[in-house]
Amino acid sequence: MKLAFVGVGDAGTRIVDRLVRAERASGRSVSDGNVLVFNTDDAAFEAATAVPDERRVLLGDTHPAVRRRPDPAEAGGADGAETADGAGGADETEALASEIDPFGVGGDPDTGAAVAEAELPEIRRALDRIDETEVAGTMLVTGLGGGTGTGVGSVLLEELNSIYETPVYVLGALPAATEPDRRALTAARGIRTVVPLADAVFPVDNEAWRRGDPVAERYDAINDAIAARVLALFGAGERDPESVSELRVDPADVTRTLEVGGVASIGHATHELTPDDAGVVTRLLRLLGIADAPESDGAEADAATVKRLVRRALESTLTLPCSVDSADRVLVILSGPPDAVSRKGFETGRYLLEEETETVEVLAGDEPVPGATEVTATVVLSNVTDVPRIDEIQRRAVAALDASDAGDDGTTVLGDAADADTRPGAPDPADGPGDDAAGDSHASEDGQTGNPTDGAAGAEPDGASSESTTETDGSASEDGDRSVHGFDFTAGDDRGK
Amino acid sequence: MKLATIGVGNAGSKLIDRMIEFEVETGRNLCRHALVINTARTDLAKPKNIPEDRRVLIGDTHHKARGHGVGGDAEIGAEVAKTDIDEIRRVFDDVEIHEVDAVLVAAGLGGGTGSGAAPVVIEEIQKMYDEPVYGLGVLPGKYEGGRPALNAARSLQSFVTKVDNFIAFDNDAWRSRGQTIEQGYEEMNKELATRIVTLLAAGEVDESEVGENAMDSSDIMRTLEVGGVSSIGYASTELAPAKQGLLSKFNESDEPESESTDAAKIKGLVRRAVNSRLTVPCDISSADRALIVFAGPPEVISRKGVESAREWLENAADTVDVLAGDDPRPDSSTLAAVVLLSNVTETPRIDEIQSQAVDAQNKIREQDAVREEEIQSLITDDDDDLDPIV
């Protein structure tokens, strides 16, 4: 299934870069060059060498709420080290990852959204570079903990939805436990925003994937693993279109599996075919013209191997760990040499999934890779609803919200949204798309314009610590009360400094 | 019999392709027209024996299919067939219908295209022509899961009520262990093609060779006309090494003992055909009508054998409507007996599929009912304090 990759923010840029590299390395052509990356800070662009220059789009460089990275040559003073780090290697160091990157939108998704709204003409121009007729869908790739990733990403997602008839999926990295609570808050809001908008969301649980190491040290490893899974899913069928497999996975199998929406998770396992493997023996025997010989244990073991492989994929570290029995629909893809994979194994593997996931909507297909020396099982669990990590991020988010609200009492508080417009660095309300009264809600369900100017102001790292409404207002959010910007992101951050 | 054939979906197309291969190999001439219909562009490239202009892609303008298949969804399969029915009719218009005795529509009932689109195609053909339409349907195996079972159970209803007869093939009865994905259903398709072609191609021999015992197309159609679900049994014996033995016996045909030995062999072949793997396992005695075709060199088909085989089947199938006849194939090195059991009503596998389908349907409904609620509950925190960004 052909997909356009649209990366947003640092994480999105990095992952798209890895996806494009993995496409080339694996011979699976998914994007066919239909790639774009958007960012509000151009540091991450430099390392994304697989993405051509003209497909990198810097947004908000003239937006007052966006903080430009100083030219490294002029860098000095307190900012020096940080800047050098950021500009030198696109990956944040753990030191930086544990804080919020001050550049770009400074980690504030509302600023991100405001910037994106203001830059819509530029975004639309950039999206013209994607040939929609060549792709069967779009994958928005983003870090859900980031201000740009989630803020710009959300607006971009709305835009993609309105211009494309084909499905729009989201691949979104979730912040690890070691990352600031504010990023958890952004991610929790991000999940809430993108899930209803996207056709399906693939959250990536960095916490599960960092395996105890600082997440920034494992970016490449994690992103490579994620890219491999995404390509195993969408790239199946994009290799060797002449293959004869009857069980081949069609793009419609993928879209139908994902069409239920919600969040999806991918499992993956590989089995190396050794020379004394039954499949090879079968092949040999067939070559020698005694094709029917291996009705024996050999082929049977092969079926067991395939079934075991499917089980291992299900029990592997999923891109998003979850209760597999909460899955709504399932797709399994077996990739490998078609003459060495047991069909019975294929069928029993599929049935195993039906039993384990407790759904009857299990599609199965294969990706024939003649001559391959390994068999890979990729299992997609669509619309999983029992996801402990998301619950945990929500708890952290609520706690961060409460903490910032509680902080209102003890710290210097500039009050609520009304202050925003008076803050230095705040954009002129008239410029922003969210220029309705500052007190307006951006929590209302249709709050498209929201109140981004507040966020924008708050995101100005140098601005006064902006605090906003109290917890009690929070409960009023459904009434469209202004309370929503109660989690003015800079609040906690500034306090932390 | 002369047929116009239509393969719908992957399995159906593959079957028609196989049938043509088999008839060419064996010098038969059954499929006078062949047409394949699919929703996936890549799959349409697979049949080797169907000319390119006889392959029809449907649903390429449908927003969910787009030429990439229907993802196993029978509803969409039916929908795209209805939308593109003009396209199908246009291609079928070329068929000189008066040149054929009947239309055969083949489909896999587990997938979305075959189960959904085939009944729509059948309906349309019945609107256009008066010739009988037969269905050839592959039933999914248990391990193919609940969704294919549901597709099959629903499609089976449409098929059986519409077609003049439905010949069923049960994947489960034919699964063998050692196969690889590449071999896929190749072997099964071959077995099924052998049975179908051997049965239906009877009655198409050169007039000069027609003996009084030759099977006629109208006999086959008469057996099928009762409708319902049918099953086919098959057995063959190689004559090449044994031929000498058989022939030498015929040469000394004055010897009555030899005649009775041959009769026993013919009867044995039919017993073997009925007790072999039927295309769909069934209670033989539930058959409404039955028919036996002997395909092979006429000299090895003993009259006495044919008659005793017919009598045996009359008893076994518990029906007096049993026809038997020859399909003389002078150059053939095999003697085959193919038995058609028409309108069998006791087929355990169909009952199983139906109960698997009911469970699947219940599960799908349960999931549909809570889907939005569960997503909402996942993405919102307990007190709904967090709100979306846009």
Side-chain angles (χ1 to χ4, degrees):
Chain A
M1 176 172 179
K2 301 278 183 202
L3 279 186
F5 294 135
V6 178
V8 203
D10 291 354
T13 301
R14 272 194 302 264
I15 299 170
V16 166
D17 182 61
R18 290 284 151 181
L19 280 166
V20 173
R21 285 168 199 277
E23 272 189 84
R24 291 177 190 160
S26 69
R28 288 173 171 129
S29 173
V30 172
S31 71
D32 279 345
N34 287 297
V35 171
L36 277 178
V37 292
F38 292 90
N39 213 342
T40 54
D41 170 21
D42 56 6
F45 283 168
E46 289 171 36
T49 51
V51 180
D53 249 342
E54 72 276 12
R55 293 189 171 264
R56 308 170 182 175
V57 185
L58 183 65
L59 296 176
D61 47 340
T62 58
H63 197 284
V66 173
R67 181 165 166 204
R68 301 289 313 277
R69 187 174 294 268
D71 193 319
E74 301 165 15
D79 274 350
E82 270 182 18
T83 309
D85 269 344
D91 289 355
E92 300 162 69
T93 63
E94 183 64 8
L96 273 173
S98 64
E99 291 170 25
I100 303 288
D101 181 359
F103 300 107
V105 297
D108 180 3
D110 295 306
T111 303
V115 168
E117 295 281 357
E119 294 265 37
L120 269 178
E122 175 65 22
I123 289 173
R124 287 179 183 139
R125 238 192 330 273
L127 289 175
D128 281 345
R129 283 173 229 166
I130 287 175
D131 187 345
E132 201 215 348
T133 60
E134 279 184 12
V135 295
T138 306
M139 178 71 86
L140 182 72
V141 184
T142 182
L144 288 172
T148 304
T150 288
V152 174
S154 300
V155 174
L156 203 49
L157 182 55
E158 284 186 316
E159 185 60 22
L160 290 169
N161 266 340
S162 69
I163 60 175
Y164 292 154
E165 200 194 312
T166 50
V168 182
Y169 304 120
V170 173
L171 178 68
L174 298 175
T178 48
E179 294 179 53
D181 288 348
R182 223 187 81 191
R183 287 178 62 85
L185 177 51
T186 302
R189 292 183 63 207
I191 283 282
R192 177 139 193 213
T193 310
V194 299
V195 170
L197 290 173
D199 287 88
V201 178
F202 296 85
V204 173
D205 185 7
N206 275 343
E207 179 61 25
W209 278 89
R210 70 189 182 93
R211 307 192 198 285
D213 293 330
V215 70
E217 281 176 20
R218 293 198 48 93
Y219 274 145
D220 283 353
I222 296 173
N223 293 345
D224 282 344
I226 299 309
R229 281 154 181 75
V230 168
L231 289 187
L233 165 56
F234 291 98
E238 295 309 328
R239 180 156 56 183
D240 183 23
E242 297 307 315
S243 91
V244 293
S245 166
E246 257 178 83
L247 304 164
R248 182 194 181 90
V249 61
D250 284 324
D253 296 336
V254 179
T255 51
R256 180 161 193 282
T257 302
L258 296 174
E259 74 179 5
V260 285
V263 303
S265 186
I266 309 174
H268 192 73
T270 297
H271 170 74
E272 294 286 336
L273 290 169
T274 52
D276 38 273
D277 232 297
V280 180
V281 175
T282 311
R283 264 185 290 175
L284 256 174
L285 287 170
R286 207 174 307 129
L287 273 176
L288 297 172
I290 23 179
D292 280 332
E295 278 278 348
S296 63
D297 299 354
E300 205 172 331
D302 218 14
T305 305
V306 173
K307 185 179 176 184
R308 226 172 12 245
L309 182 65
V310 171
R311 184 181 290 283
R312 270 175 48 215
L314 191 63
E315 291 170 353
S316 66
T317 304
L318 301 171
T319 51
L320 179 70
C322 60
S323 306
V324 297
D325 61 3
S326 72
D328 193 344
R329 290 184 183 174
V330 178
L331 173 66
V332 55
I333 299 167
L334 277 179
S335 174
D339 55 350
V341 179
S342 150
R343 191 171 60 78
K344 180 166 184 275
F346 182 87
E347 287 184 358
T348 49
R350 164 159 60 185
Y351 198 67
L352 164 89
L353 288 174
E354 182 162 328
E355 287 178 317
E356 294 292 323
T357 60
E358 295 175 17
T359 173
V360 295
E361 299 276 16
V362 181
L363 285 170
D366 86 317
E367 179 194 32
V369 191
T373 56
E374 57 181 33
V375 184
T376 301
T378 306
V379 174
V380 185
L381 302 167
S382 173
N383 191 20
V384 291
T385 49
D386 188 354
V387 186
R389 183 74 63 208
I390 290 181
D391 295 340
E392 186 187 315
I393 284 173
Q394 282 164 347
R395 275 195 297 276
R396 280 180 72 198
V398 171
L401 200 59
D402 292 348
S404 80
D405 291 340
D408 289 353
D409 303 326
T411 52
T412 309
V413 172
L414 287 180
D416 60 21
D419 295 308
D421 298 336
T422 68
R423 253 175 266 147
D428 185 338
D431 291 339
D435 55 352
D436 26 359
D440 259 5
S441 166
H442 55 146
S444 54
E445 288 300 314
D446 62 338
Q448 301 214 339
T449 53
N451 201 355
T453 48
D454 290 342
E460 184 62 45
D462 289 334
S465 65
S466 50
E467 296 297 329
S468 40
T469 60
T470 59
E471 192 180 354
T472 48
D473 286 331
S475 60
S477 59
E478 281 178 3
D479 306 321
D481 197 88
R482 65 184 177 199
S483 63
V484 280
H485 59 272
F487 32 84
D488 209 352
F489 292 94
T490 46
D493 195 45
D494 285 353
R495 203 178 298 112
K497 282 183 179 170
Chain B
M1 196 184 286
K2 303 183 200 78
L3 285 184
T5 52
I6 305 178
V8 187
N10 220 345
S13 306
K14 220 36 201 283
L15 263 175
I16 299 296
D17 196 44
R18 265 274 160 214
M19 283 170 60
I20 294 173
E21 207 167 293
F22 180 78
E23 68 171 63
V24 169
E25 277 170 19
T26 59
R28 289 173 163 94
N29 193 359
L30 169 68
C31 306
R32 302 301 168 98
H33 296 275
L35 174 65
V36 293
I37 298 169
N38 213 331
T39 56
R41 198 173 275 114
T42 46
D43 293 338
L44 216 47
K46 288 176 197 163
K48 290 174 234 126
N49 303 293
I50 316 279
E52 218 149 305
D53 62 337
R54 312 299 296 167
R55 305 176 190 176
V56 185
L57 179 68
I58 55 170
D60 51 332
T61 56
H62 187 278
H63 70 287
K64 277 186 175 169
R66 298 174 176 280
H68 297 317
V70 296
D73 191 326
E75 304 273 353
I76 300 176
E79 201 180 311
V80 300
K82 279 178 196 152
T83 311
D84 289 344
I85 198 69
D86 290 342
E87 179 68 11
I88 296 168
R89 200 168 27 205
R90 198 182 54 71
V91 182
F92 207 75
D93 263 346
D94 300 348
V95 174
E96 303 278 355
I97 197 74
H98 60 270
E99 286 181 0
V100 302
D101 300 308
V103 181
L104 178 79
V105 178
L109 299 198
T113 306
S115 64
V120 176
V121 171
I122 289 165
E123 212 163 57
E124 193 59 29
I125 288 166
Q126 286 174 328
K127 267 189 233 161
M128 295 166 72
Y129 307 113
D130 293 328
E131 277 67 17
V133 177
Y134 303 126
L136 174 60
V138 180
L139 306 175
K142 179 190 173 205
Y143 290 105
E144 290 180 52
R147 164 53 72 175
L150 178 56
N151 286 346
R154 294 185 58 196
S155 188
L156 187 70
Q157 278 191 8
S158 314
F159 257 100
V160 174
T161 53
K162 289 183 206 304
V163 294
D164 293 86
N165 201 298
F166 178 82
I167 298 164
F169 183 85
D170 174 24
N171 261 352
D172 263 0
W174 287 85
R175 250 153 50 104
S176 72
R177 289 181 169 278
Q179 286 170 342
T180 64
I181 285 185
E182 186 177 58
Q183 292 164 316
Y185 297 94
E186 203 60 6
E187 233 169 85
M188 296 189 202
N189 288 342
K190 212 170 163 178
E191 296 281 359
L192 181 52
T194 302
R195 281 156 181 73
I196 293 288
V197 175
T198 308
L199 171 69
L200 299 181
E204 283 312 311
V205 280
D206 197 321
E207 295 292 331
S208 61
E209 290 170 22
V210 173
E212 51 180 319
N213 302 307
M215 180 58 75
D216 192 81
S217 298
S218 61
D219 295 334
I220 303 172
M221 291 164 78
R222 186 184 173 277
T223 307
L224 289 168
E225 76 186 3
V226 287
V229 174
S230 294
S231 186
I232 301 174
Y234 177 89
S236 71
T237 179
E238 277 298 324
L239 298 176
K243 193 172 183 175
Q244 250 181 344
L246 267 171
L247 276 181
S248 59
K249 278 176 190 157
F250 271 96
N251 290 342
E252 313 156 25
S253 60
D254 296 332
E255 209 178 311
E257 247 186 36
S258 161
E259 163 88 6
S260 72
T261 317
D262 269 334
K265 278 185 179 159
I266 294 282
K267 185 179 158 189
L269 195 61
V270 171
R271 282 180 86 119
R272 203 143 63 75
V274 172
N275 293 319
S276 71
R277 280 192 288 192
L278 297 170
T279 55
V280 63
C282 61
D283 181 349
I284 297 155
S285 68
S286 73
D288 193 345
R289 292 182 185 175
L291 175 136
I292 314 167
V293 172
F294 296 96
E299 67 273 19
V300 300
I301 306 168
S302 125
R303 277 309 102 213
K304 205 174 153 197
V306 170
E307 192 41 43
S308 68
R310 206 194 61 78
E311 274 167 22
W312 175 81
L313 186 58
E314 226 178 73
N315 270 323
D318 195 18
T319 169
V320 292
D321 267 313
V322 181
L323 295 170
D326 308 348
D327 180 18
R329 315 199 62 76
D331 301 327
S332 177
S333 61
T334 57
L335 173 63
V338 57
V339 175
L340 168 68
L341 300 166
S342 183
N343 192 20
V344 290
T345 48
E346 299 282 331
T347 50
R349 182 66 199 129
I350 290 178
D351 297 338
E352 275 167 34
I353 287 174
Q354 281 162 345
S355 90
Q356 196 179 6
V358 169
D359 291 347
Q361 182 161 281
N362 289 339
K363 220 164 213 174
I364 288 165
R365 283 184 181 151
E366 278 167 33
Q367 281 175 326
D368 285 349
V370 297
R371 179 170 297 131
E372 291 312 315
E373 197 184 310
E374 286 191 353
I375 294 175
Q376 204 52 37
S377 141
L378 172 71
I379 66 171
T380 47
D381 57 291
D382 295 343
D383 297 324
D384 201 10
D385 284 340
L386 305 166
D387 42 55
I389 288 149
V390 294

